[in-house]
Amino acid sequence: MKNDIFRTPIFYGKTEKIADALNLYNAMRRERPSRMVSNRGGYQSPFLTKEEIKRTITAEMMKPIVHKIMKTYQWKGPIEFIVNGAWFNAIESGNYNISHIHSKCHFTCNWYLQIPNSKSGHLILEHTDDIMMMSGLMELKAVKKNSYNSSLMKIVPSTGRLVMFPASIRHRVESYYGKGTRISLSFNGSFKQ
């Protein structure tokens, strides 16, 4: 018998309504200087204002993925999803983001607005069990990689894709190599009952 405990879900959605977000990104890039947080190169915008968040991350866009989360966690409604902060990330060839987590929120979200090349610049989620990682257990040879014997999970971005995962998961973005700018909108979210 086998029983999985303390599972970590990752949620996916998709929306093609990216024009308004890209217009806002272009305006911000022209008018507001980049921050340096986890990004190594590229552009990381200042936080969007509450009004910019409301116009860009709509309830209609979030409804399907929020519904999946509520169903998975079996929360009793009504539940409100609150965006705690949002910012644009733009990387060009050779740029990447170092490993980090997000604080003061429940979920971290990446919405991919422009992905000229999906062969690089992948989102990497790192295994959450530090003791297992340090013990060498993940270094044992396996017949096939799966969620039990992998230290990393790779998520391949595509234009319009939305990825949400618990904010406590360490994650990074591999170096991007390609022509054109890879643009995403990252945001933190919390649930309130």
Side-chain angles (χ1 to χ4, degrees):
M1 185 171 137
K2 175 178 78 76
N3 187 21
D4 290 328
I5 62 169
F6 309 127
R7 297 177 74 180
T8 305
I10 299 167
F11 300 94
Y12 301 94
K14 189 152 176 98
T15 179
E16 299 301 329
K17 296 182 179 182
I18 60 176
D20 288 342
L22 282 173
N23 288 337
L24 179 58
Y25 158 77
N26 287 321
M28 286 185 81
R29 184 126 193 206
R30 281 191 307 271
E31 300 165 8
R32 301 181 203 171
S34 179
R35 300 180 302 146
M36 185 159 168
V37 185
S38 67
N39 56 314
R40 295 302 177 257
Y43 175 80
Q44 189 170 103
S45 77
F47 287 111
L48 276 64
T49 65
K50 286 182 181 181
E51 293 77 28
E52 290 167 336
I53 289 171
K54 230 179 218 180
R55 284 195 327 259
T56 310
I57 305 166
T58 65
E60 176 191 329
M61 173 185 111
M62 294 304 297
K63 189 176 181 178
I65 203 162
V66 166
H67 179 73
K68 284 182 207 173
I69 292 170
M70 286 181 63
K71 189 174 179 182
T72 300
Y73 283 95
Q74 295 291 299
W75 289 326
K76 187 176 181 180
I79 297 278
E80 181 183 4
F81 179 71
I82 302 155
V83 176
N84 305 102
W87 61 97
F88 291 102
N89 287 296
I91 57 177
E92 280 120 18
S93 196
N95 301 155
Y96 60 96
N97 290 71
I98 61 170
S99 178
H100 62 284
I101 60 170
H102 294 217
S103 61
K104 299 179 185 170
C105 61
H106 298 142
F107 282 86
T108 297
C109 315
N110 286 323
W111 182 21
Y112 298 103
L113 304 174
Q114 179 176 292
I115 306 297
N117 174 6
S118 63
K119 293 183 174 143
S120 65
H122 299 139
L123 174 64
I124 304 296
L125 305 181
E126 300 173 10
H127 200 292
T128 56
D129 190 336
D130 290 335
I131 300 300
M132 231 165 103
M133 299 297 293
M134 293 182 336
S135 72
L137 187 62
M138 294 298 188
E139 296 168 14
L140 298 174
K141 291 184 180 171
V143 174
K144 183 179 179 186
K145 287 289 185 188
N146 62 30
S147 59
Y148 295 105
N149 63 28
S150 298
S151 58
L152 304 171
M153 180 183 175
K154 182 187 295 189
I155 295 176
V156 179
S158 61
T159 300
R161 187 175 206 189
L162 181 67
V163 180
M164 287 181 69
F165 52 91
S168 59
I169 295 180
R170 278 203 161 275
H171 58 284
R172 59 188 161 87
V173 177
E174 292 180 323
S175 294
Y176 169 73
Y177 296 103
K179 294 180 180 177
T181 304
R182 176 192 180 280
I183 304 168
S184 62
L185 176 61
S186 295
F187 56 99
N188 294 328
S190 296
F191 287 90
K192 183 179 175 185
Q193 203 161 39

